[in-house]
Amino acid sequence: MTRTLIKVELWRIALPVLWFGMIAAISFIEAPLKFQAPGITIPLGLGIGRLVFATLNIVEGVILLALTLLSFWPESARIAGSRLLVWFGVVCVFAAKVAFVRPPLNTRTDEVLAGAAPGQSPWHYIYIVCDAATMVLVLVLAVMAARSILRASVSSHK
C-alpha cells in the first residue's frame, strides 16, 4: 500500500468518526438535555435547536463533500464495491434528511414560535432514524477503511 493510499484511508477513518461523534453529541446528548436546563423555554430551546441543527447539517455536508472527494480521488485510491454502496447510502440519507425531513421540522418550529400548538408529529422521530442510520453507515465506512489498511499491512509482512 502506498503512502498516499494510507493517508487517504486514514482520512476515510477520521472523517466518518468525527461525523459519528458530532451526531452522537448533538442529536442524542445536547438536544434532549437542552430542555432540562433551568430557565429554558420551549421557544428558546427551539431557537437554539434550529441554529445548532442547521450548523450541524452544514458541517455534515462539508464532511460528506470531503468523503466524496476522498472516495473518487486520487484515482489509484478510488472506492469500489460494497464501500461504494455504503457511501451512496450516506449520500441518500443525508439528502433525505436535509431535503425532506428538515423543512417540515422548520415549519413546525415556526408554528410553535408563532404561538400555535401543532400537536404531535412524526418528523422528529424520522430525523432521529436518519441520524441513527447515518451513524451506522459512517461507522461502517470507517471500519472498511481500517480493514483496508490492516489487509495491506498483513500482506506487506508476508
Side-chain angles (χ1 to χ4, degrees), residues 43-128:
L44 183 58
L46 289 175
I48 293 168
R50 176 182 274 181
L51 179 63
V52 168
F53 279 95
T55 304
L56 173 63
N57 290 158
I58 290 167
V59 174
E60 287 178 301
V62 170
I63 292 172
L64 180 57
L65 177 61
L67 279 175
T68 299
L69 292 173
L70 288 170
S71 296
F72 298 100
W73 181 85
E75 190 173 336
S76 62
R78 191 172 288 167
I79 64 170
S82 58
R83 203 175 338 180
L84 185 60
L85 289 174
V86 176
W87 167 83
F88 185 68
V90 173
V91 170
C92 289
V93 171
F94 177 74
K97 181 169 73 171
V98 171
F100 300 114
V101 181
R102 280 294 308 268
L105 284 172
N106 288 339
T107 300
R108 184 175 168 74
T109 299
D110 289 340
E111 291 171 357
V112 172
L113 292 175
Q120 288 290 350
S121 163
W123 291 109
H124 284 94
Y125 299 109
I126 295 168
Y127 194 94
I128 290 167

Side-chain angles (χ1 to χ4, degrees), residues 13-30 56 59-60 63 131 134-136 138-139 142:
I13 295 169
L15 290 172
V17 168
L18 174 65
W19 194 347
F20 180 96
M22 290 173 55
I23 293 173
I26 292 172
S27 293
F28 296 103
I29 297 173
E30 182 274 340
L56 173 63
V59 174
E60 287 178 301
I63 292 172
D131 274 350
T134 300
M135 290 173 77
V136 169
V138 297
L139 192 58

